[in-house]
Amino acid sequence: MTDTSANIVLGDKKVEMPVKKGTIGPDVIDIGALYKNTGAFTYDPGFTSTAACESKITYIDGDNGVLLHRGYPIEQLAEHGDFLETCYLLLYGDLPTAAQKKDFDHRVTHHTMVHEQMNKFFSGFRRDAHPMAVMVGTVGALSAFYHDSTDITDPHQRMVASLRMIAKMPTIAAMAYKYHIGQPFVYPQNDLDYSTNFLRMCFAVPCEEYKVNPVLARAMDRIFILHADHEQNASTSTVRLAGSSGANPFACIAAGIACLWGPAHGGANEAALNMLQEIGTVDKIPEYIARAKDKNDPFRLMGFGHRVYKNYDPRAKIMQKTTHEVLAELGHKDDPLLQVAMELEKIALTDPYFIEKKLYPNIDFYSGITLKAMGFPTTMFTVLFALARTVGWIAQWAEMIEDPQQRIGRPRQLYTGEAQRDYVPVSKR
Ligand code: SDX
């Protein structure tokens, strides 16, 4: 939908470009013809002012702390729905009817097993390999197991690949965990819901019956909802760019997992918990706050700040509530890490530096405390983030593939290297 236009004057050239309006949120200036008409590129290395695509899936208002999935506020989805309902919403655009939900849940449940050969694939890794390294490897290898759903031009195969990914990520994540701790793999059980099934695959052992605590299953499910999708973040943009070349969906998701692993992105939950453990006690907080402000110190408060949220991350509020619920249920409400986290948050939110830089806790600040209390090692935190984000990556990938304007992503550059020069023989260097 174009409404007005924007003019760029460059030297003796004046170019008028269409301005497109979205349903809500910032307008965009369509600069597609800029290079052709002016010979110049735009320059925006961190994409702070660049819309890379048009999307109908997720909307974020960073100034007002708003997160909508297909128009529904994250607070309402987390309160009233479950993760598979959010998956359906992200994939198909609307909340499912009871019949649609029953069918979708049944289809996902009956894709949770992985090919038995995958078990042998794990045995190639060292036991102490980081579970994220195992996830990148095994998810990338899925295209070697599921050739019948890699033709991205076939809508049916796209749907099958999407379902397989959503269904198998919990199984693969649990296998990565079990392999890491030297315990046997636990098969999924079709009479359990998605999050209960996942927790059972992680924590059950063959020697005895294992009953998942329903409070923890509900908390896990809500954590998955909170991490499901988040507009064009770094890992989603990676999936879109990989997919724009026509690469198969399993390879694209593996690329997204690799990008998510970075401590500035999905790796922040592991880094945030390690930071809280390093701080250790409330009296050490001022020292770390000072380090976070020190330009000469690379230290940052992990779990704080966000490229888009310049107000409170709405997910962090729900995450904080879930943290208290889980710790109360497990009898850890006096967990020293939680005391440090709450005091750190209180101090940071009143400190002029953080106020001026608009640094608020993000989703990663509280998730680590919760996951640790649930029994996960810190090395599994980003694996759980990747498990949940898979539906967002898949929904965004499918939207891109189905976009008639879709073409391979190929950014340009500002070149500041050497101008052309002639080869110098080694005898003359
Ligand atoms: C996720 O994009 C998404 O949507 C991501 C995500 C998702 O769901 O996909 O929401 C998930 O990745 C959440 C973010 C998790 N990362 C962290 O918690 C790591 C710590 N945070 C920072 O590294 C940082 O805030 C980022 C990476 C999150 C955002 O980086 P930006 O937008 O590039 O901001 P910046 O690095 O330019 O910082 C702006 C200023 C800088 O100071 P000046 O150079 O302007 O003087 O704020 C300072 C920074 O030094 N700053 C911090 C800080 N974060 C930014 N100072 C101390 N501690 C911090 N955490």
Side-chain angles (χ1 to χ4, degrees), residues 230 233-234 263-266 268 292 295 300-307 310 315 353-354 357 359 362-364 385 389:
H230 211 239
N233 58 84
H265 190 13
K295 281 283 154 248
R300 286 196 166 180
L301 283 185
M302 301 316 281
F304 273 80
H306 199 277
R307 169 61 59 78
K310 299 309 172 192
R315 304 168 298 175
Y353 175 87
F354 292 91
K357 301 265 181 214
L359 300 174
N362 57 49
I363 186 156
D364 296 303
F385 194 152
R389 186 53 58 89

Side-chain angles (χ1 to χ4, degrees), residues 342-362:
M342 288 171 65
E343 186 61 21
L344 175 59
E345 181 188 30
K346 203 164 77 187
I347 296 173
L349 294 184
T350 54
D351 183 295
Y353 175 87
F354 292 91
I355 294 169
E356 186 239 321
K357 301 265 181 214
K358 299 179 185 291
L359 300 174
Y360 292 88
N362 57 49

Side-chain angles (χ1 to χ4, degrees), residues 130-132 135 169 227 257-263 265-271 364 371 377-389 393:
H130 194 294
M132 277 301 278
M135 286 294 279
M169 280 299 269
H227 287 80
I257 295 174
C259 175
L260 186 75
W261 195 1
H265 190 13
N269 52 19
E270 178 177 351
D364 296 303
L371 297 174
T378 48
T379 51
M380 276 294 290
F381 293 179
T382 312
V383 169
L384 302 180
F385 194 152
L387 188 169
R389 186 53 58 89
W393 289 329

